[in-house]
Amino acid sequence: MIKQFDKTLASELVKNGHLQQADADQHLKACQSGALDLRAYLIQNKIVTENLILEALAAAFQMTIIDLKTEKIDPAVVEKVPVRIAGHYKIMPVKIENRNLILASTLPIDLNVQDELRGHLGFEPQIVLAKEVDIQNAYGKYYGLAAGTIDRLTKDTSQKPQKATESDHWVEDLDTGSEEDASVSQLVNLILLEAHKKRATDIHIEPYRDSVRVRYRIDGVLVDSNAPPTFRQFLSSITSRIKLMANLSIVEKRVPQDGSASVKTKGHKLDLRLSTIPTPHGESLVIRILPQDVQLLGLSKLGLGEANLKFFRALIRKPHGIILVTGPTGSGKTTTLYSALNEINTPERKIITLEDPLEYEMKGITQIHVNPKVNLTFAAGLRAILRHDPDIIMVGEIRDLETAEIAIRTALTGHLVFSTLHTNDAASGITRLVEMGVEPFLVASSVEAFIAQRLVRNICPYCREEVKTPLLELREEMVEAIGLESTSHAKIYQGKGCEECNGTGFRSRSAIYEVMRIDEDIRSSIINKERADRIKAIAMQKGMETLRMDGWKKVLDGITTPMEIMNVSAKDDYSLLDKQSRANKGAASSALAAPKSITIREEILKNKDDYNSRVYPRLNAKVEVRYQVLKPDAKEASRFDSDGVMHSSLTQDISAGGLRFVTKDPLPLGTILDLKIQYSKSERSIDCLAKVCRIEQDSVTSMYGLIIYYLDIPSADRAKLDRLVRANLVKFKQKSDNP
């Protein structure tokens, strides 16, 4: 039998032209045979919008429609309606006017139900209409998270048996059951479902002496879920239920535990990563939510600028080397690396990843989950990976010297390696590796680029508006950083707050980047163990955009707000830049960007040097040297240009006048070299020009011994080198005399 209420709604929708009579009759018959009323049927099948239905109901029953998102409800009014009554009748108290209690509902309430409410509440009920989602949000906001379920749990705490999949892992269906199902299992499901609906990435459950705080991390910011006070008495049961889902011990509460679980909701599968830690008032839980069916972003959608995107695409197609993405936890490093792997994932390449934990599943890629409990560490996994003939390797994080050294050796033997580091900016990645114990020359020879990144919240596109206030200091900093003509060109936007962004003004996130290319100048600085700020200054002179610069560009594009950029990046220090670079505000310095060109005075080349006029003691020792070949300029004989290639070798012997090293490629007599001698790893290199004066060929090894002498070595460096050689000769003699 068709309900009179459905007939009235159908008639009003036909009257207003939202439905044809034939269609209305068909929908009424469908409702008669199903469990849904006409309103729910039309909304579920997207036949008529909820707004049109509310307008039809208001016209048919002479009722008022209110917007609960803009209503400020007094908590004292909420206290007049117990949670069990509000949940049972699906109403939300709004305000009290004299003896009338305004109640919001999605449907008109008949007179019999109004009599019941009058008896329960002691007020004259006055019903107004509101959207269902707004009522649910207000219900959670004012009564607290899952308040109805918690209220019923005080009367019935029976548990439902859980189901296991064929793989013996718990897979909970969050959509099973309803608010009427008052169980701890359902309470946990409601918490997870609420988090998923709000696009949360993490759930924090934090116990205190008399309360429990439940918070969701949404777009990188923690938001309180307003858990009711009675939540505290079910904390132990909730914790046990979640630990059971993750196959953790519910008996052990004294030590931290980590586990995982899988759930599904509305066709989506979610992976959960659970971590517990003991506190004086119970176990604190953090649940990370990872969608299994995530769609990886393309590189063009990550937020890289045009120049950086072009360089990054060329970088990930290199045959070997290390690409390191740096930043704190939660800055999107793994997403960037996965997007890169997704772009170069072809049948011709063998790609293996080593992660802790596995955040995304990718087809065509072999993924390994690190498990220290069985001694499967990053270092042990890397050694095993090398026996599986990989082309590309991704290491989730370089945490120690052993992992770093294996990754570097892997890159030097012809593999492309992706990994991450926890540092504040790109240049600090160099310092981090050296502090681990990696030799600077290994960092310089293996790493292709350091890429720092941060995540910033995007302004909600539905409520974006321009900021009218001056904010002069911020505008002036933006002008200085990215070279705008005046502050009038710096337009700043913000989100006003709307239904789409839950009133925050932000929706989703994007990344800002700092891409530092490792060229020869930076390699020299690494070997010389220069400070990170000096290396950053060199990169900025070469045209590198810092995190703050990239952030200001996104502010001007209306993507994010200045406060977001200031929260995740430090103000740039221009004190180490030369005058030209500061005038260009980060533009490439022409002097530094040009190929190396050195003027060599004629008398230096003609001079036989102190090497021929003095006899310096020689030490048979292996000292690291790096050199570039200088070729004469066609226009000016005294000017030499670098070939742009830095070579490495070890000396056979060395003195303060010259040295001998071995190479497989002979250099012509008289060749001029730009030479760097790294005699001591703890000190800067000795830099000078040198000339090839003799070539010796080894017929057995087919190698060449090159004897060179220094041309323009500073006297202080020559004296220092002579002292080092003599001191080591004395040590060697003492060892020989006292075997």
Side-chain angles (χ1 to χ4, degrees):
M1 181 178 179
I2 301 176
K3 298 178 182 178
Q4 183 60 42
F5 171 82
D6 289 345
K7 291 180 180 179
T8 304
L9 175 58
S11 176
E12 191 65 32
L13 290 172
V14 171
K15 176 182 175 182
N16 294 334
H18 301 312
L19 284 178
Q20 297 295 325
Q21 186 62 56
D23 294 333
D25 294 339
Q26 183 179 354
H27 297 324
L28 286 171
K29 290 180 180 178
C31 292
Q32 186 178 7
S33 59
L36 297 178
D37 58 30
L38 181 61
R39 172 194 165 279
Y41 177 84
L42 295 175
I43 294 174
Q44 181 173 304
N45 291 280
K46 298 181 180 180
I47 300 169
V48 181
T49 65
E50 186 174 9
N51 286 332
L52 293 178
I53 290 176
L54 287 177
E55 292 174 2
L57 292 174
F61 296 95
Q62 288 78 48
M63 299 180 69
T64 304
I65 302 174
I66 66 168
D67 186 358
L68 279 180
K69 296 191 300 295
T70 59
E71 286 284 342
K72 293 183 179 180
I73 302 176
D74 189 343
V77 176
V78 177
E79 292 178 359
K80 301 294 183 182
V81 183
V83 62
R84 62 181 182 278
I85 293 178
H88 177 73
Y89 292 104
K90 295 180 174 57
I91 56 175
M92 181 65 207
V94 179
K95 57 185 173 181
I96 297 175
E97 294 179 350
N98 298 323
R99 293 300 301 170
N100 293 330
L101 178 58
I102 311 299
L103 301 172
S105 174
T106 58
L107 294 170
I109 296 178
D110 62 36
L111 295 178
N112 292 332
V113 175
Q114 291 188 37
D115 288 339
E116 293 177 10
L117 290 173
R118 191 178 294 109
H120 286 306
L121 305 177
F123 287 90
E124 185 64 34
Q126 183 177 335
I127 310 301
V128 295
L129 298 177
K131 294 178 68 174
E132 184 175 9
V133 64
D134 293 342
I135 291 177
Q136 291 176 351
N137 290 338
Y139 191 73
K141 179 179 179 181
Y142 291 100
Y143 283 106
L145 175 67
T149 301
I150 292 175
D151 181 67
R152 284 185 291 277
L153 273 172
T154 59
K155 304 177 180 64
D156 179 13
T157 57
S158 61
Q159 296 288 330
K160 278 193 171 184
Q162 301 304 317
K163 300 178 182 179
T165 64
E166 295 178 358
S167 59
D168 294 330
H169 292 294
W170 299 110
V171 179
E172 182 73 22
D173 189 346
L174 304 185
D175 302 316
T176 302
S178 65
E179 279 282 343
E180 300 300 326
D181 176 19
S183 68
V184 171
S185 297
Q186 186 62 22
L187 177 58
V188 171
N189 290 356
L190 289 173
I191 295 171
L192 297 174
L193 190 60
E194 181 77 3
H196 177 62
K197 287 179 178 178
K198 292 186 174 182
R199 300 179 293 106
T201 56
D202 299 88
I203 305 171
H204 293 245
I205 302 177
E206 305 161 336
Y208 299 97
R209 183 179 297 276
D210 300 317
S211 63
V212 174
R213 182 163 62 176
V214 180
R215 296 189 288 175
Y216 299 140
R217 188 174 293 280
I218 303 172
D219 293 333
V221 178
L222 285 172
V223 178
D224 203 316
S225 68
N226 189 27
T230 50
F231 195 97
R232 182 69 179 84
Q233 60 184 296
F234 300 103
L235 176 63
S236 179
S237 299
I238 292 169
T239 302
S240 296
R241 166 60 185 153
I242 295 174
K243 290 170 74 173
L244 280 173
M245 291 173 63
N247 294 319
L248 299 180
S249 171
I250 62 174
V251 177
E252 184 56 74
K253 302 180 180 180
R254 300 166 298 175
V255 296
Q257 295 187 68
D258 295 306
S260 61
S262 296
V263 298
K264 61 180 180 179
T265 173
K266 300 187 184 303
H268 298 285
K269 291 184 178 180
L270 308 176
D271 281 336
L272 308 180
R273 299 286 183 267
L274 172 67
S275 178
T276 72
I277 56 173
T279 73
H281 305 294
E283 290 182 280
S284 178
L285 290 82
V286 174
I287 305 169
R288 171 153 291 188
I289 304 174
L290 301 170
Q292 291 181 359
D293 53 353
V294 65
Q295 295 295 321
L296 290 173
L297 296 174
L299 288 182
S300 58
K301 297 181 180 180
L302 289 178
L304 286 160
E306 184 176 348
N308 284 337
L309 177 61
K310 184 177 179 180
F311 170 71
F312 192 50
R313 281 204 162 112
L315 196 64
I316 63 178
R317 285 172 171 79
K318 284 182 174 287
H320 53 77
I322 300 178
I323 301 169
L324 288 170
V325 181
T326 74
T329 301
S331 58
K333 302 185 296 297
T334 303
T335 300
T336 297
L337 291 182
Y338 267 109
S339 298
L341 292 179
N342 191 45
E343 182 151 321
I344 59 178
N345 182 18
T346 62
E348 296 80 20
R349 292 187 176 98
K350 171 78 169 183
I351 303 176
I352 304 179
T353 71
L354 190 64
E355 307 165 68
D356 183 20
L358 293 175
E359 294 195 18
Y360 306 113
E361 291 185 10
M362 291 186 67
K363 293 183 179 179
I365 291 180
T366 303
Q367 297 176 274
I368 303 171
H369 184 195
V370 170
N371 187 0
K373 294 180 180 179
V374 294
N375 201 31
L376 179 55
T377 61
F378 280 111
L382 260 177
R383 284 191 291 267
I385 285 174
L386 291 177
R387 296 190 289 271
H388 278 252
D389 187 30
D391 297 301
I392 300 169
I393 299 172
M394 189 188 91
V395 183
E397 181 185 349
I398 293 179
R399 298 177 179 176
D400 50 47
L401 176 60
E402 186 180 11
T403 305
E405 288 182 335
I406 297 173
I408 288 172
R409 286 200 297 271
T410 302
L412 293 176
T413 53
H415 299 85
L416 184 61
V417 180
F418 295 89
S419 192
T420 68
L421 282 173
H422 286 228
T423 62
N424 292 327
D425 57 16
S428 298
I430 299 168
T431 307
R432 178 79 180 103
L433 289 175
V434 173
E435 286 176 349
M436 285 183 185
V438 180
E439 296 294 343
F441 74 89
L442 288 176
V443 177
S445 59
S446 62
V447 180
E448 296 291 334
F450 289 89
I451 303 170
Q453 73 174 80
R454 297 290 188 280
L455 290 179
V456 294
R457 291 184 293 173
N458 294 341
I459 300 172
C460 175
Y462 300 97
C463 60
R464 193 184 75 161
E465 61 182 10
E466 186 177 349
V467 177
K468 302 299 182 182
T469 53
L471 297 175
L472 289 179
E473 291 185 4
L474 287 177
R475 295 176 193 267
E476 288 171 358
E477 183 182 339
M478 293 165 66
V479 168
E480 180 186 13
I482 57 181
L484 293 178
E485 295 179 2
S486 68
T487 57
S488 62
H489 292 82
K491 291 187 177 182
I492 299 175
Y493 299 87
Q494 67 180 7
K496 185 178 180 181
C498 64
E499 180 181 352
E500 296 294 332
C501 60
N502 293 321
T504 63
F506 296 97
R507 185 176 177 86
S508 76
R509 290 187 291 176
S510 60
I512 58 174
Y513 289 92
E514 177 179 291
V515 180
M516 188 175 75
R517 314 176 186 193
I518 307 300
D519 59 12
E520 293 308 319
D521 290 319
I522 293 179
R523 284 193 174 94
S524 299
S525 299
I526 295 172
I527 294 172
N528 292 337
K529 295 186 176 180
E530 294 193 21
R531 301 194 317 267
D533 57 348
R534 176 56 189 159
I535 295 175
K536 183 176 181 178
I538 294 172
M540 291 172 66
Q541 288 173 339
K542 293 289 188 93
M544 181 186 79
E545 288 185 350
T546 64
L547 286 168
R548 182 64 69 98
M549 291 177 185
D550 191 33
W552 288 145
K553 286 188 175 182
K554 287 181 168 56
V555 169
L556 293 181
D557 290 339
I559 296 173
T560 189
T561 65
M563 191 58 64
E564 284 292 299
I565 302 303
M566 295 172 69
N567 286 340
V568 300
S569 65
K571 187 175 181 180
D572 295 322
D573 182 7
Y574 298 104
S575 62
L576 294 177
L577 300 182
D578 56 39
K579 292 181 180 179
Q580 181 181 0
S581 297
R582 275 192 275 180
N584 292 339
K585 300 298 182 297
S589 171
S590 58
L592 286 171
K596 194 173 215 178
S597 182
I598 301 174
T599 301
I600 303 178
R601 298 191 306 274
E602 211 172 295
E603 56 267 25
I604 293 179
L605 292 174
K606 291 180 179 179
N607 192 349
K608 291 184 179 180
D609 199 79
D610 290 337
Y611 180 71
N612 292 332
S613 60
R614 297 181 187 173
V615 177
Y616 287 102
R618 286 183 168 271
L619 175 68
N620 293 326
K622 292 184 178 181
V623 176
E624 182 197 353
V625 293
R626 293 171 67 84
Y627 63 91
Q628 285 182 300
V629 177
L630 302 181
K631 298 179 179 179
D633 190 288
K635 297 180 180 178
E636 188 177 349
S638 63
R639 182 172 295 277
F640 283 71
D641 294 325
S642 168
D643 65 355
V645 180
M646 182 66 77
H647 306 270
S648 298
S649 185
L650 295 174
T651 64
Q652 289 182 314
D653 57 60
I654 186 170
S655 75
L659 55 83
R660 180 200 310 261
F661 65 84
V662 175
T663 177
K664 64 179 180 178
D665 299 316
L667 296 175
L669 286 174
T671 301
I672 306 300
L673 305 178
D674 181 14
L675 185 68
K676 299 179 184 295
I677 306 170
Q678 190 69 44
Y679 193 95
S680 173
K681 297 175 182 177
S682 60
E683 300 181 18
R684 68 173 181 83
S685 65
I686 296 174
D687 301 347
C688 67
L689 299 178
K691 185 177 181 180
V692 178
C693 62
R694 192 187 310 165
I695 302 175
E696 298 174 347
Q697 183 176 9
D698 188 332
S699 59
V700 178
T701 62
S702 298
M703 299 293 285
Y704 296 88
L706 300 184
I707 299 173
I708 65 174
Y709 62 80
Y710 315 131
L711 291 176
D712 65 342
I713 185 170
S715 57
D717 283 346
R718 189 191 296 277
K720 174 183 176 182
L721 189 56
D722 190 41
R723 287 196 305 271
L724 291 169
V725 169
R726 292 178 186 275
N728 280 280
L729 284 171
V730 171
K731 291 179 182 178
F732 179 77
K733 187 176 184 304
Q734 290 174 346
K735 289 182 179 179
S736 299
D737 294 340
N738 301 289

